[in-house]
Amino acid sequence: MTQIDRTSRLPFLPLTRRQALMSAGAGFGYLAFRGLAAQAAALESGTAPKFDNPLAAKKPPFPAKAKRVIFLFMQGGPSHVDTFDYKPKLQQAAGQAGEKGRLLPSSFNFQRYGHNGLYVSDLYPNVARHADELCMINSMHTDNPAHPQATIQLHTGSAQFVRPSVGAWVLYGLGTTNQNLPGYITINPPAGLGGAQNYGSAFLPATYQGTRLEGNGAMSDINPIMPAKLQRRQLDLLQAMNRDAENASGSPDQIEGVIQSYELGFRMQSAVPELLDISKETAATKALYGIGDGKSDTFGRQCLMARRFAQAGVRFIEVCYTGWDTHNNLHQRMTANAAGTDKPIAGLLADLKSHGLLNDTLVIWGGEFGRTPTSQGADGRNHNNRGYSMWMAGGGAKPCIHGKTDDFGAAAVESPVHVHDLHATTLALLGLDPENLTYKYAGRDFRLIDVKGHVVKEIIA
């Protein structure tokens, strides 16, 4: 039966189910606001259950020296014997037979810097000025000399199985202090070598996976031609349907992650454009990062964004620089790579320090492995997973030189540090217990370090 509007005396047309949902969408925004307001009050009072907000900031179980991590990933395996691991005997034994070929001396000069007498080659003169802030680990080793497996193990702890990434574990353990930004951002991650697995959440809830930014970090709106209020109504309708799907029996676990990602994406529209806009940074700051220099401009912009994200409360930030796989043209390619990264890295350290962020920001530099002391062809080095260099700065890492490789740089021989140990130490600096940060999946408790990693206490300040 058709109803009559008493005011206009016009008949009401029957509503379809789609029209009813669209009309009801206007109220979802109010309900969402009401829920968020109640959630904020509960979080402030400490009465909110953990599942209310999986990304809410959590207090670490132990005193934390670092609040966040910036990982500068040098994809391809930078040569340690040409950068930070000086080997005088390698220079003297040029051309002699080594373990797997002819020994190839470094073509770069080394000098000692800082109170600890840290050796740095002339590839990194700007980073060398921060020698007294570097925790140089010259005894790193990992399980596999192949790029894909070593890269995945560096990022997840396992090359054999799909496991959550380091950033996902950190976000799971600590949450984030900025609800309008992702807690975990990866800038320019390598396209291959495991792809999204390197910043994925695996069996952890999808909300802990990394958010990928390409190039200089440009991001587009969800729908740039639609006003924000209309986008909100559109999203409310979509989320209502997602919730219905989530509540249905047999629904996939990923739906909650989809819901959270849509909400985060909407909130990011107001926060991210301002963060990515570096036009208000001073000319001196841009020059500090090498922005404007054709060699270092791109990586400099990415490192500056890393500082801005860190300042805004992002918990884990990775910036990737590719091209370190120097099987040939070693001198030329190492020179180019260093020219592209030296100023940006030094600028990042200096800028973090000037903003009072370096003390509680753990900066990690390194690749998936190093290079051999023997030659490959006329001017190249092969993969070396048995001994190489990585360094830390800030965030409670002790300025020192830890461990060493043999006389030629072929293998770690003193105080070796495995990738598992690096992960355990990173978690410990963040105030997390690497042995008790677990997640139950498939009937057993999993953790980042599995049963192998140990905290390297000697490198903690």
Side-chain angles (χ1 to χ4, degrees), residues 164-419:
S165 59
V166 180
W169 278 110
V170 170
L171 196 57
Y172 165 66
L174 294 176
T176 179
T177 58
N178 190 327
Q179 298 301 315
N180 292 328
L181 292 171
Y184 173 16
I185 291 175
T186 176
I187 302 174
N188 195 35
L193 309 176
Q197 187 175 338
N198 291 310
Y199 53 90
S201 59
F203 49 71
L204 289 178
T207 190
Y208 298 119
Q209 68 186 352
T211 296
R212 174 176 182 156
L213 303 186
E214 297 287 353
N216 288 336
M219 295 186 66
S220 60
D221 292 343
I222 296 175
N223 190 339
I225 64 173
M226 187 180 293
K229 289 184 179 180
L230 190 55
Q231 287 187 52
R232 181 68 257 180
R233 289 184 62 190
Q234 182 186 61
L235 183 59
D236 288 338
L237 176 60
L238 180 61
Q239 296 292 60
M241 292 187 285
N242 284 336
R243 289 293 182 193
D244 287 342
E246 182 185 32
N247 294 330
S249 61
S251 64
D253 295 337
Q254 293 87 347
I255 291 182
E256 176 60 29
V258 171
I259 292 171
Q260 295 289 342
S261 68
Y262 284 178
E263 291 295 337
L264 177 60
F266 182 82
R267 297 195 302 270
M268 285 169 62
Q269 291 181 100
S270 61
V272 170
E274 182 178 352
L275 277 175
L276 297 184
D277 180 12
I278 65 170
S279 62
K280 295 180 182 179
E281 296 284 352
T282 66
T285 296
K286 294 175 185 177
L288 188 67
Y289 284 87
I291 296 172
D293 184 327
K295 298 175 182 177
S296 57
D297 181 80
T298 297
F299 193 64
R301 290 174 181 272
Q302 293 170 352
C303 286
L304 176 54
M305 281 195 302
R307 188 271 288 166
R308 291 168 69 91
F309 282 133
Q311 195 173 20
V314 177
R315 187 72 73 178
F316 195 100
I317 306 141
E318 178 172 341
V319 189
C320 177
Y321 191 94
T322 61
W324 292 95
D325 195 16
T326 49
H327 291 282
N328 50 48
N329 298 325
L330 175 74
H331 186 91
Q332 177 184 352
R333 294 172 68 185
M334 289 291 291
T335 300
N337 288 342
T341 57
D342 180 37
K343 266 192 173 182
I345 294 170
L348 174 63
L349 295 176
D351 204 18
L352 286 170
K353 191 172 184 178
S354 70
H355 282 83
L357 292 169
L358 187 58
N359 285 341
D360 57 12
T361 301
L362 179 64
V363 181
I364 305 174
W365 178 97
E368 65 268 39
F369 43 58
R371 315 301 293 192
T372 59
T374 52
S375 64
Q376 185 177 34
D379 183 27
R381 300 190 190 276
N382 210 336
H383 304 170
N384 181 11
N385 65 303
R386 299 186 303 149
Y388 57 99
S389 301
M390 294 183 73
W391 57 256
M392 296 177 169
K398 181 180 179 180
C400 65
I401 304 168
H402 181 82
K404 67 178 182 180
T405 54
D406 59 47
D407 289 340
F408 302 124
V413 295
E414 182 179 299
S415 303
V417 177
H418 192 272
V419 167

Side-chain angles (χ1 to χ4, degrees), residues 88-167:
K89 290 189 177 181
L90 178 61
Q91 302 302 106
Q92 299 165 9
Q96 295 181 18
E99 187 178 351
K100 295 182 179 180
R102 297 288 176 182
L103 292 170
L104 178 67
S106 177
S107 59
F108 304 100
N109 296 316
F110 281 77
Q111 295 184 51
R112 304 190 80 171
Y113 295 87
H115 297 302
N116 292 317
L118 178 67
Y119 276 108
V120 182
S121 81
D122 54 15
L123 285 171
Y124 277 108
N126 291 290
V127 171
R129 297 190 183 103
H130 296 273
D132 284 334
E133 293 162 334
L134 301 187
C135 172
M136 184 63 63
I137 307 172
N138 280 332
S139 55
M140 287 296 305
H141 65 106
T142 189
D143 296 336
N144 199 298
H147 291 293
Q149 290 86 343
T151 298
I152 293 172
Q153 185 173 35
L154 175 62
H155 284 83
T156 71
S158 175
Q160 290 80 32
F161 305 101
V162 177
R163 294 287 184 262
S165 59
V166 180

